[in-house]
Amino acid sequence: MSPEGRGIAKDSFRILHVSTGNVCRSPITERLTRHALSHRLGGLVTRDLIVESAGTWGHEGAPMEANAAAVLADFGADASGFTGRELLDEHVIRADLVLTATRDHRAQVISMGHSAGLRTFTLKEFTRLVRAIDPATLPPLDDGMAERARALVRAAAALRGWLLAPSPDADEVYDPYGAPITFFRSIGDEINQALEPVVTALTGVPASR
C-alpha cells in the first residue's frame, strides 16, 4: 500500500499512538482518546476517526498491564478487548497522524520512511502545537471531521520549527512499566491533560467542566 493510501476511506482519519511495549502508555492513550471522542460526540460512534496503537518493541497479542487498565477505569474508559501489537510498516503507512510517547519513538517511526515526518509528533509536542492554532482557521465540521483533522495536522507541522519545546523533557511521557499504581495514575493524568486540547480541536467541542 502506498502512503497515498492512508486511511480506510477518503472520509476517514486514522490516529496511531506509539510507545515501546504497547501495554502501558499507548493503550492508555488509545483508549482515553476513544473515550474522549465518544464523550464529546454524545456517545455517538464515528467512522471518521479511527484510533489504534502499537509498540516499537510491541508485545504482540499481550493484554495491557493491569495498572494501565486500572487507570482507564479511573477515567471511565473501556479497557476491554485490547491486545498488544508490534509496530509494522503498514501501521505507519495507513496512519494520518502518529502520536508517540517520546522523542525516541518519534525518531523510530520517522526512520521507517513512508513520508511519516510531517505527520509524526510526540503527544505533548502535538498538544503544544495545537494550542497555538486558531480553531477558526480549521475547516468547519460540516466539511467532515477527517478534513478538519488533516488540516490540523498540516497546521501543526507548519508550526513545528517555530514553537520549540521549553526543555528537552517537555515532550516526553515516561514509561510506567513495572511502577506502582500511583505512578501509572500520574502518567494517566499527563496523557489525559495532553489529549484534552487535541480532542477539542478535532471535534470543535470543548471539554465539559
Side-chain angles (χ1 to χ4, degrees):
M1 182 185 298
S2 68
E4 289 71 28
R6 290 192 295 271
I8 288 177
K10 187 178 179 181
D11 60 351
S12 67
F13 185 90
R14 186 179 294 265
I15 301 172
L16 175 67
H17 293 294
V18 175
S19 63
T20 303
N22 194 215
V23 291
C24 296
R25 288 168 291 181
S26 50
I28 291 173
T29 315
E30 173 196 320
R31 294 306 176 93
L32 285 181
T33 303
R34 291 186 187 182
H35 178 70
L37 287 170
S38 177
H39 182 72
R40 304 293 177 90
L41 298 171
L44 297 175
V45 177
T46 176
R47 294 188 303 170
D48 292 351
L49 294 176
I50 301 124
V51 185
E52 55 191 359
S53 63
T56 55
W57 290 90
H59 299 285
E60 189 72 29
M64 75 173 73
E65 284 288 297
N67 281 346
V71 166
L72 290 174
D74 290 343
F75 288 99
D78 184 13
S80 65
F82 180 87
T83 55
R85 302 191 306 175
E86 182 177 356
L87 181 66
L88 302 176
D89 290 271
E90 65 187 68
H91 300 144
V92 177
I93 290 169
R94 298 179 72 186
D96 297 286
L97 171 63
V98 184
L99 296 176
T100 70
T102 70
R103 291 169 295 162
D104 282 347
H105 296 133
R106 181 185 64 195
Q108 288 179 68
V109 171
I110 292 172
S111 73
M112 295 171 72
H114 314 303
S115 305
L118 291 177
R119 52 194 169 91
T120 303
F121 309 79
T122 74
L123 171 62
K124 288 186 175 180
E125 174 192 21
F126 194 65
T127 299
R128 183 176 67 254
L129 298 171
V130 164
R131 287 184 185 277
I133 296 169
D134 182 356
T137 64
L138 299 175
L141 288 176
D142 289 347
D143 290 353
M145 200 171 295
E147 185 60 31
R148 182 182 177 93
R150 291 189 186 96
L152 184 67
V153 173
R154 289 193 298 268
L159 282 174
R160 179 149 44 189
W162 298 92
L163 196 61
L164 302 178
S167 71
D169 293 337
D171 289 339
E172 305 285 289
V173 176
Y174 290 106
D175 192 354
Y177 185 78
I181 186 63
T182 51
F183 188 63
F184 267 84
R185 288 192 167 117
S186 70
I187 293 299
D189 287 339
E190 276 186 43
I191 291 170
N192 190 59
Q193 290 173 26
L195 285 173
E196 191 278 328
V198 174
V199 175
T200 296
L202 287 171
T203 64
V205 179
S208 58
R209 302 297 181 186

